[in-house]
Amino acid sequence: MAVLTDRPAATPARRHQRAARTLATRFLGYATLAFFALVFLYPFVIQIGNALKTEPDAAANPLSPFPDPLTLAGFERIFAGTNFPLWLGNSLLVTVLVTIGRVFFDSLAGYALARLRFRGRGGLFAAVIAVMAVPGVVLLIPKFLVLNQLGLYNSYAGLVVPLLADAAGVFIMKQFFESIPVSVEEAARIDGASIFRTFWSVVLPMAKPALITLTILSFQGSWNEFPHSLVSVQDPDLFTLPRGLADLVSGSLGKGTQYPLKLGAALLATIPVAIIFVVFQRYFVRDANDGSDKG
């Protein structure tokens, strides 16, 4: 039986108008994205341009991305006239130790909160959530007092130990471990594996996407950590990159804007974080897609 409709068939003119509207909407969307991309990227372009300028050119034209003339004098002065290599070494040491510690301890704590049954577990997890809600600046003075009393002030231990675990990492790992089927762990325990062996050999390899996410966040957070270094060290030989850059910005090298020096140092400080993010993001996306295909 034929079904009658009053809807007219699309004419070539209507199809053309519809295609034109779709094309215009798509063009407007891409133009908007391109505009905001340029807005966000322009400060980085300015940073690169000023790092390659002479001091007079940067002071006269700070918003121009084109150096005239182009020079590497700013970078030469960074390595010859500042303690940038020392700050870089301190940051690498602290960041690597903190990242390894956070990945290990946050994973242990997250697994305990997700799988182990013990008295006070709910209250402990509530305390972790409460710590996430506390502004970090509130803890600066208590942190200084604790470090001073424990004899960790003005030492590498004072830079590293307080950052070895964080509430956000524990929360991320707990939520991910709860998404793993309990049957996987039960099979390992039937085979005689201990709790730690089950965690280390069975559960942890399955948490690779969460571990990579935690690695990115831990590396970025510890590399850019500035308030903690203010209350943990005072010796210039223990300064990390954020503390050293703050010292440069405050005018420790004398008068003048010194834009090429300051922006060149800031540019060099962003390179390791960018590399870590790009490399680990690729693995994170791949592992996340593999997990969705298997699920």
Side-chain angles (χ1 to χ4, degrees):
M1 179 178 179
V3 179
L4 300 178
T5 63
D6 296 332
R7 186 177 180 181
T11 62
R14 289 183 177 178
R15 287 197 297 268
H16 179 73
Q17 292 177 355
R18 190 177 304 166
R21 285 195 299 269
T22 303
L23 182 62
T25 303
R26 184 175 301 174
F27 175 79
L28 181 62
Y30 283 126
T32 303
L33 291 176
F35 171 76
F36 283 105
L38 290 176
V39 169
F40 281 103
L41 289 175
Y42 191 68
F44 296 100
V45 176
I46 294 296
Q47 183 184 44
I48 296 173
N50 279 281
L52 298 174
K53 291 179 181 179
T54 60
E55 179 66 28
D57 184 26
N61 305 292
L63 297 182
S64 172
F66 305 106
D68 184 25
L70 188 148
T71 178
L72 296 176
F75 292 98
E76 294 174 359
R77 191 181 176 195
I78 289 172
F79 288 97
T82 71
N83 288 327
F84 186 88
L86 176 64
W87 303 335
L88 179 63
N90 289 337
S91 283
L92 285 174
L93 175 63
V94 172
T95 300
V96 170
L97 293 178
V98 169
T99 301
I100 294 174
R102 282 189 179 181
V103 170
F104 180 69
F105 291 116
D106 290 355
S107 299
L108 281 176
Y111 182 75
L113 291 173
R115 287 292 190 261
L116 303 185
R117 299 292 182 265
F118 55 91
R119 181 177 299 178
R121 187 183 68 155
L124 184 59
F125 181 63
V128 171
I129 300 298
V131 170
M132 294 174 59
V134 176
V137 67
V138 177
L139 303 176
L140 290 182
I141 295 179
K143 187 182 295 185
F144 165 75
L145 295 176
V146 171
L147 290 174
N148 195 33
Q149 289 296 320
L150 295 179
L152 299 178
Y153 181 73
N154 228 16
S155 66
Y156 284 108
L159 285 171
V160 174
V161 173
L163 302 178
L164 288 178
D166 68 322
V170 174
F171 178 79
I172 291 173
M173 297 308 300
K174 175 184 179 297
Q175 296 302 111
F176 192 89
F177 286 140
E178 287 181 342
S179 67
I180 297 177
V182 181
S183 57
V184 176
E185 302 168 61
E186 292 176 347
R189 289 172 184 171
I190 291 175
D191 292 337
S194 63
I195 295 178
F196 182 80
R197 183 61 181 274
T198 302
F199 160 77
W200 186 259
S201 301
V202 178
V203 180
L204 199 59
M206 300 176 65
K208 188 183 296 184
L211 292 175
I212 292 176
T213 300
L214 183 58
T215 300
I216 294 174
L217 295 178
S218 300
F219 189 96
Q220 184 180 25
S222 55
W223 182 268
N224 297 325
E225 181 64 46
F226 174 67
H228 175 68
S229 65
L230 284 177
V231 299
S232 59
V233 296
Q234 195 63 34
D235 186 357
D237 291 338
L238 297 176
F239 282 4
T240 56
L241 270 177
R243 183 74 181 273
L245 293 179
D247 196 47
L248 288 181
V249 173
S250 65
S252 63
L253 295 182
K255 299 180 180 179
T257 58
Q258 304 186 58
Y259 287 146
L261 174 67
K262 296 174 182 177
L263 294 178
L267 177 64
L268 293 175
T270 61
I271 292 177
V273 178
I275 293 176
I276 290 295
F277 182 80
V278 171
V279 171
F280 280 91
Q281 185 190 42
R282 176 166 60 90
Y283 288 106
F284 170 72
V285 172
R286 185 187 65 185
D287 292 331
N289 290 335
D290 291 344
S292 63
D293 291 339
K294 295 176 181 178

